[in-house]
Amino acid sequence: QVQLVESGGGLVQLGGSLRLSCAASGSIFGISVMAWYRQAAGKQRELVASITRGGTSNYADSVKGRFTISIDNTKSTVYLQMTSLKPEDTAVYYCTAHTSRTYWGQGTQVAVSS
């Protein structure tokens, strides 16, 4: 079992920045990939960014150049640095950890005001 605890969400103005954190605990040695998803009201959940334990990352086209995912293996924590935020980035952001199954965090709200 893997437990995920997210933090760092909040309300920010257009063009602002936020950093989300996700701390993993439990059976962390089996984690191969960690990722951030988001779900806006009335929309489907979408992948924002993912990163392997080796540091290989991928991003959704909508966030490329604005968001950066990173991982600190010593702390079993993954981060999502979000800059140049737009109202369309408003969503609940979820952290995931992938082993033989996928674990989800409880989600953290990000709201961007115009």
Side-chain angles (χ1 to χ4, degrees):
Q1 293 287 329
V2 174
Q3 294 78 44
L4 301 170
V5 178
E6 300 129 330
S7 61
L11 175 64
V12 65
Q13 291 187 330
L14 174 66
S17 299
L18 281 175
R19 188 177 81 154
L20 306 182
S21 300
C22 173
S25 61
S27 302
I28 61 173
F29 294 105
I31 297 174
S32 57
V33 177
M34 296 189 75
W36 288 95
Y37 285 75
R38 68 185 181 187
Q39 187 167 21
K43 294 188 177 181
Q44 289 189 327
R45 194 171 293 186
E46 63 174 351
L47 176 65
V48 176
S50 65
I51 189 166
T52 67
R53 295 201 73 143
T56 300
S57 58
N58 285 288
Y59 298 90
D61 288 343
S62 59
V63 306
K64 281 181 181 176
R66 300 188 298 122
F67 290 11
T68 303
I69 190 170
S70 60
I71 190 167
D72 183 340
N73 287 312
T74 64
K75 297 180 180 179
S76 301
T77 299
V78 64
Y79 304 95
L80 186 68
Q81 179 68 49
M82 305 184 292
T83 63
S84 301
L85 283 162
K86 306 174 182 179
E88 50 263 44
D89 295 317
T90 295
V92 178
Y93 284 70
Y94 298 91
C95 173
T96 64
H98 303 266
T99 60
S100 58
R101 56 162 288 188
T102 299
Y103 297 88
W104 292 81
Q106 80 284 359
T108 185
Q109 177 71 53
V110 171
V112 183
S113 66
S114 56

